[in-house]
């Protein structure tokens, strides 16, 4: 994430590191050696400030500096866990544990009476996801075309009608066929390189700003980002995931490339829309369906060319299926 922020020159980004020395089960890696943190951020091209996190003036000065910084800025604040309470200060073993009544009275006696007035709740800006729509391509019956290629074509058509559509790639755009979108709309294509977790995190941020991120990679590689994907669902993100090279049809590339876990991964999320087109026509129609859907969606795509099965009059309502043959 730090590397991507520097690559995209996000001067408006400020990261705050609460370096309080202690983790859940023991000390953190660098504890209070804050120079280590600063060197890591600086190595990625960030500005890094080390401050006393209990000195409000130092903190305010750091924020002022970050506001005028021409590159991403990290404020690394040295703090002491539970500062001001003698029985708890700078000591481990308290993660997720409540105080006894006697300990609570001791703690309150040392820090003084609490101000119970709650600040007014900060509300987020409402995000509007406008409906999408585009004219799909025309395909001949039995024409051979992969669903990943149809997805790439549909994404370009969508981009022409929906300025909120953006695409994210993890160095496989010439395999997922999103390269056409990147050529047509370079300002709306974001390269995350081989960092699928960060790609999902960036998509969540773009969704929060009202964009419709299409995240495309090999279906098998999405497993790397699963924790980010499930947390995006809980954040009510509007992200359209596309996993190509799914199933066992790409045997030549070996098991590391075969997406076998992707469908149960997305089906385990209650709000996710999971769609599996079988030909180019259904793939294009379902790109439109996920663009119109608000929430997490997953479009499963194959690498190999398959025959076109449907014509332009067929419809593909989410939640439905097609019966191609009965025995």
């Amino acid at each position: 994430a730090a590397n991507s922020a520097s690559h995209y020159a996000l001067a408006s980004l400020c990261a705050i590191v609460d370096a309080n020395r202690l983790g859940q089960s023991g000390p953190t890696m660098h504890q209070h050696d804050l120079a280590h943190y600063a060197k890591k951020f600086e190595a990625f091209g960030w500005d890094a400030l080390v401050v006393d996190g209990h000195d409000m003036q130092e903190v305010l000065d750091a924020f002022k500096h970050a506001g005028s910084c021409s590159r991403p800025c990290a404020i690394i604040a040295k703090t002491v866990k539970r500062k001001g309470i003698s029985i708890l200060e700078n000591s481990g073993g308290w993660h997720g544990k409540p105080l006894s009544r006697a300990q609570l009275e001791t703690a309150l006696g040392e820090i003084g009476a609490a101000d119970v007035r709650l600040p007014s709740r900060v509300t987020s800006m409402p995000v509007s996801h406008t409906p999408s729509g585009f004219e799909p391509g025309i395909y001949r019956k039995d024409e051979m075309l992969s669903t990943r290629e149809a997805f790439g074509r549909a994404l370009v058509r969508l981009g022409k009608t929906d300025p909120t559509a953006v695409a994210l790639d993890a160095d496989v755009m010439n395999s997922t066929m999103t390269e056409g979108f990147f050529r047509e709309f370079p300002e709306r294509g974001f390269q995350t390189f081989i960092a699928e977790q960060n790609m999902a995190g960036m998509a969540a941020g773009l969704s929060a700003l009202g964009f419709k991120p299409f995240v495309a990679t090999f279906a098998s590689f999405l497993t790397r980002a699963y924790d980010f994907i499930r947390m995006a669902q809980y954040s009510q993100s509007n992200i359209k995931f596309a996993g190509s090279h799914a199933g066992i049809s790409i045997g030549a590339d070996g098991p590391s490339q075969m997406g076998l876990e992707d469908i149960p991964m997305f089906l385990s999320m209650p709000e996710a829309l999971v769609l599996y087109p079988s030909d180019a026509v259904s793939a294009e129609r379902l790109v439109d369906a996920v663009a119109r859907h608000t929430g997490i969606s997953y479009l499963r795509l194959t690498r190999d060319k398959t025959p076109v099965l449907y014509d332009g009059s067929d419809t593909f309502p989410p939640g439905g299926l097609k019966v191609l043959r009965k025995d």
Side-chain angles (χ1 to χ4, degrees), residues 301-318:
L301 306 169
T302 50
R303 172 187 175 181
D304 294 343
K305 295 180 184 296
T306 54
V308 172
L309 302 171
Y310 306 108
D311 57 39
S313 62
D314 277 292
T315 59
F316 304 88

Side-chain angles (χ1 to χ4, degrees), residues 166-225:
V166 298
L168 291 90
D169 169 67
D171 194 32
V172 288
M173 70 171 73
N174 58 338
S175 290
T176 61
M177 301 301 176
T178 55
E179 58 185 351
F181 187 95
F182 276 71
R183 282 195 302 269
E184 289 278 343
F185 314 104
E187 74 287 355
R188 287 192 269 152
F190 300 93
Q191 179 59 253
T192 69
F193 305 97
I194 305 174
E196 287 79 3
Q197 286 182 319
N198 192 44
M199 181 167 62
M202 289 170 63
L206 288 164
S207 169
L209 291 172
F211 291 98
K212 291 190 190 121
F214 280 77
V215 176
T217 186
F218 286 17
S220 59
F221 300 161
L222 284 170
T223 60
R224 302 170 181 170

